[in-house]
Amino acid sequence: MSLLQVDSLSLGLRGTPVLREVNLIIEASEIAGVVGESGAGKSMLGKAILGVLPRDVTVTAGAIRLNGTDLLALHPRARRAFLKRDMALIPQDPLSALNPCRTISAQLAEVLPKGTADAKMEVIRWLDAVRIPSATKVAKSFPHVLSGGMRQRALIAAAFASRPKLVIADEPTTALDVTVQKDVLHLIRELQRETGVGLMFVTHDLCVVAKICHSVTVMHGGRVIEQAACTDLINRPAHAYSQALLAATPRPDHAGQGLEPVPTALIERMIAEAGDG
């Protein structure tokens, strides 16, 4: 049984399709990348899985199963309890995701599993695990005192400290500079290996996908365009859109070669095909 199985999921916003028959499977201990341009539907898919869709967006068809449990069939209260126990999110903006009026320690302590013997020491242990220097001092600090990289590390600690089965990372390196991005990606991959959780990594950056993901789902316009093992997609993309995304991505193995923008004619054709469908 797969850890996460999304079957023909469709979302609508006041009658307008947002996602169209999206299928996604994530196995336990797998890092599954979901990639595409802004507006492709990546983050909306993550919100649907987490059960935090905007009020006007509704599920119009499909199923979302975590370890065989159909999340959409659960009562909202039961679903919240289920997701709080088994899922976690690493958000895109670490500053807005943290409560500015509470210390890092207080916020991490909230996500620890029930029955944790010494919450304060457990918080310190997780801050050490994400390589935050002076973890005891940082635990007592408020978010505005920390750098963007340290805030993101604290949120990574919070996600894994809850001991979930699935972590959804929604473009967690977007707000960070390049050198910090590299360290954060390494940290996420290392913690994922140590804990064995399944991880859905949402990004627009195929270079990031190539570094840490086992499988890739390419999205555009609320639809899945291509799904493949990461090495297969990077080396032998089947769909013209995947090929165009790779051609527009800087790659160290293609040093000196120019980048090609995604052809307008290709996008227009894909939009027309989606309309016909």
Side-chain angles (χ1 to χ4, degrees):
M1 180 189 301
S2 299
L3 173 63
L4 177 75
Q5 186 168 345
V6 178
D7 293 325
S8 300
L9 180 67
S10 296
L11 305 180
L13 172 62
R14 303 190 191 97
T16 301
V18 176
L19 293 185
R20 304 180 188 220
E21 297 185 351
V22 171
N23 294 294
L24 175 68
I25 291 177
I26 300 178
E27 304 293 347
S29 302
E30 176 189 13
I31 302 180
V34 179
V35 67
E37 298 173 85
S38 296
K42 312 180 299 294
S43 294
M44 195 63 72
L45 173 59
K47 289 178 179 179
I49 296 168
L50 287 164
V52 292
L53 285 171
R55 183 173 300 176
D56 292 338
V57 178
T58 57
V59 176
T60 56
I64 303 171
R65 295 183 178 87
L66 185 67
N67 275 338
T69 299
D70 187 350
L71 302 182
L72 300 181
L74 295 176
H75 184 277
R77 183 177 296 176
R79 185 180 182 187
R80 285 194 296 270
F82 189 90
L83 297 180
K84 182 179 180 181
R85 185 185 69 245
D86 290 342
M87 284 195 201
L89 170 69
I90 304 174
Q92 187 175 141
D93 183 358
L95 183 58
S96 63
L98 289 165
N99 187 332
C101 301
R102 305 190 68 201
T103 64
I104 297 298
S105 178
Q107 296 185 64
L108 262 67
E110 284 186 338
V111 304
L112 295 177
K114 288 184 178 181
T116 301
D118 190 335
K120 289 184 178 180
M121 287 305 299
E122 186 69 359
V123 166
I124 300 300
R125 189 180 77 80
W126 276 103
L127 292 179
D128 281 331
V130 295
R131 301 191 186 90
I132 288 182
S134 305
T136 302
K137 180 180 179 181
V138 169
K140 299 175 183 177
S141 301
F142 290 89
H144 72 275
V145 177
L146 309 181
S147 68
M150 289 179 73
R151 286 192 291 263
Q152 191 61 286
R153 287 172 185 266
L155 285 173
I156 292 170
F160 284 93
S162 65
R163 303 191 183 280
K165 294 182 174 63
L166 175 70
V167 172
I168 296 179
D170 187 7
E171 304 206 40
T173 61
T174 297
L176 307 176
D177 64 53
V178 176
T179 54
V180 177
Q181 283 183 16
K182 182 179 178 181
D183 290 341
V184 168
L185 286 175
H186 178 76
L187 179 62
I188 290 174
R189 181 171 56 186
E190 190 175 79
L191 287 173
Q192 186 272 337
R193 286 174 178 169
E194 290 176 0
T195 58
V197 303
L199 195 145
M200 173 179 164
F201 198 98
V202 177
T203 181
H204 62 275
D205 192 338
L206 278 170
C207 289
V208 170
V209 166
K211 289 176 183 176
I212 71 168
C213 294
H214 302 112
S215 64
V216 189
T217 295
V218 180
M219 295 186 67
H220 181 272
R223 297 186 302 154
V224 171
I225 301 301
E226 183 173 356
Q227 291 177 315
C230 185
T231 52
D232 290 342
L233 187 128
I234 297 299
N235 296 317
R236 297 177 297 277
H239 195 280
Y241 178 68
S242 303
Q243 297 167 10
L245 283 182
L246 280 167
T249 301
R251 296 176 60 176
D253 56 337
H254 291 178
Q257 297 183 18
L259 302 179
E260 296 291 335
V262 178
T264 302
L266 172 61
I267 299 300
E268 289 176 346
R269 187 175 78 241
M270 291 171 65
I271 293 173
E273 290 173 354
D276 292 341

